[in-house]
Amino acid sequence: MYRDKKIGLVIPAHNEERLIRPTLLNVPELIDAVYVVDDVSSDSTCDVVNELAADDPRIHLLKHEVNQGPGQGIITGYQQASADDCEVVVVVGGDYQMPLECVTDFLDPIINGEVDYTKGNRFISGRGAFDRMPKIRLIGNMLISALTKISSGYFKVVDVVDGYTAISKRAIDAIRWDQAWKGYGYPMDFLVQLNMRGFKVRDVARDAIYLEGERQSQIKGIRYALKVSPMLVRGFFWRIVNRYLFRSFHPLAIFYLLGLALLPFGVLYGAVLLYKEQFLQMDVTSGQSVMCALFVITGLQFLLFAMLFDMQESS
């Protein structure tokens, strides 16, 4: 136990036979239970886990009958850990990319009652991610983080794709996991789920680990960002409508909706005026130009006010 709290560790695994061994061998003693969730691996991942479990009774192998994605792997682990009365649950990958020697940095803010969810941040000064992360992944990470800030409402979080996290049992039990995203992109959707229920989140500095000759991450930079963007858009509207309209009314919902209506309309109206002037040789009146500018400026103001309120609600 750590600080009189039962600590669980969830490791989603799919074809991790080479790196699951060092991952499990480096689990610190303060972890009380380890849940490796195999998502229908076709290699010997399960054999390696069972071999190590024979010597370490903390290790439990949970197996999916059908491949469901890493998000569902974590959810399966969460639910089992909660059922076993783990009070804080940590998540790391099975690719030996997340150093467990700093796990107390993730646990302390939750045990202290300051937040309900902590997540890794490899970009905090001195951690080396900018120099060691492949540039295409770095660009994709920055793009996804920007989109996730708006989608989730957590404007202070960075490095949102990092899967090194910890969560309280209270949060696990409160979230409707059947509504959560199950495949790649789950870290961003989990943030949306947490914000929808008003939980506080904090970034934790952690080292970036890249093993030479190993492709540990399956994230492919910008293409990954484009793939998860529709999910983030859906998550944004789902969060705003459910949290700020249905559960308890807040004017930021109206500000967001007005801003998202007026700003695109103003831009489109401006494009039509430009087309008429440049290609149809038609005169554009000053009144039309002013109206276009008003739509754009008013839309921006509504969006900025909405974001400000969103930041305050999620801080």
Side-chain angles (χ1 to χ4, degrees):
M1 300 183 74
Y2 177 69
R3 295 178 57 185
D4 297 323
K5 302 293 183 182
K6 184 176 181 180
I7 309 299
L9 174 65
V10 173
I11 305 175
H14 178 70
N15 294 337
E16 297 285 3
E17 63 179 359
R18 292 199 299 176
L19 296 172
I20 193 67
R21 183 182 296 275
T23 300
L24 290 172
L25 289 175
N26 283 276
V27 173
E29 292 189 5
L30 63 84
I31 301 295
D32 297 286
V34 182
Y35 304 93
V36 180
V37 185
D38 179 70
D39 200 30
V40 195
S41 295
S42 58
D43 62 5
S44 60
T45 296
C46 291
D47 294 335
V48 174
V49 174
N50 284 325
E51 175 192 337
L52 296 174
D55 296 322
D56 188 344
R58 298 178 301 168
I59 299 175
H60 308 277
L61 177 63
L62 308 177
K63 299 179 69 173
H64 287 166
E65 296 299 324
V66 178
N67 183 278
Q68 300 179 62
Q72 181 58 53
I74 292 170
I75 293 168
T76 297
Y78 276 168
Q79 293 172 331
Q80 185 61 57
S82 177
D84 293 342
D85 294 320
C86 292
E87 293 161 279
V88 185
V89 182
V90 180
V91 173
V92 298
D95 54 5
Y96 197 44
Q97 196 176 7
M98 302 170 184
L100 280 166
E101 58 266 22
C102 67
V103 70
T104 56
D105 294 338
F106 289 77
L107 298 174
D108 286 334
I110 297 176
I111 294 174
N112 293 339
E114 299 165 4
V115 299
D116 280 279
Y117 190 79
T118 52
K119 53 169 290 297
N121 185 337
R122 294 162 289 179
F123 300 113
I124 294 178
S125 178
R127 299 294 170 168
F130 282 109
D131 297 327
R132 300 166 66 184
M133 181 178 288
K135 293 299 182 286
I136 191 67
R137 283 186 57 200
L138 182 61
I139 294 171
N141 188 305
M142 295 172 68
L143 177 59
I144 296 169
S145 290
L147 293 172
T148 303
K149 287 174 184 288
I150 299 173
S151 179
S152 70
Y154 293 118
F155 288 87
K156 295 181 180 179
V157 300
V158 184
D159 195 15
V160 296
V161 300
D162 191 14
Y164 194 165
T165 65
I167 189 172
S168 67
K169 185 179 188 299
R170 182 171 78 107
I172 291 175
D173 294 342
I175 291 175
R176 287 277 308 274
W177 294 107
D178 59 311
Q179 298 176 341
W181 189 262
K182 308 304 190 295
Y184 284 100
Y186 70 86
M188 293 79 81
D189 182 70
F190 283 13
L191 288 173
V192 174
Q193 301 291 335
L194 287 158
N195 187 290
M196 232 284 290
R197 289 157 182 85
F199 290 114
K200 294 187 180 298
V201 172
R202 180 179 297 175
D203 274 1
V204 174
R206 69 100 166 175
D207 291 326
I209 298 177
Y210 299 101
L211 301 180
E212 187 175 351
E214 294 286 354
R215 178 177 175 79
Q216 293 156 285
S217 175
Q218 299 187 42
I219 295 175
K220 298 180 180 179
I222 296 176
R223 187 166 69 178
Y224 177 82
L226 294 174
K227 183 177 180 180
V228 301
S229 294
M231 176 200 71
L232 292 173
V233 172
R234 290 195 301 270
F236 167 78
F237 285 106
W238 178 80
R239 177 177 69 87
I240 296 301
V241 169
N242 281 277
R243 180 175 180 183
Y244 297 120
L245 282 180
F246 292 161
R247 292 194 169 213
S248 60
F249 177 77
H250 194 292
L252 75 82
I254 303 301
F255 288 169
Y256 263 133
L257 295 176
L258 286 173
L260 291 170
L262 292 175
L263 181 59
F265 182 80
V267 172
L268 181 61
Y269 187 35
V272 171
L273 293 179
L274 182 63
Y275 179 80
K276 288 173 62 178
E277 186 176 48
Q278 296 294 322
F279 296 98
L280 300 181
Q281 304 300 314
M282 296 175 64
D283 291 334
V284 175
T285 67
S286 59
Q288 290 174 316
S289 298
V290 169
M291 185 64 69
C292 175
L294 283 175
F295 280 128
V296 172
I297 293 171
T298 305
L300 281 173
Q301 287 179 327
F302 275 126
L303 286 177
L304 290 174
F305 276 120
M307 289 181 183
L308 177 61
F309 285 132
D310 212 359
M311 290 179 195
Q312 293 173 342
E313 290 293 315
S314 303
S315 62

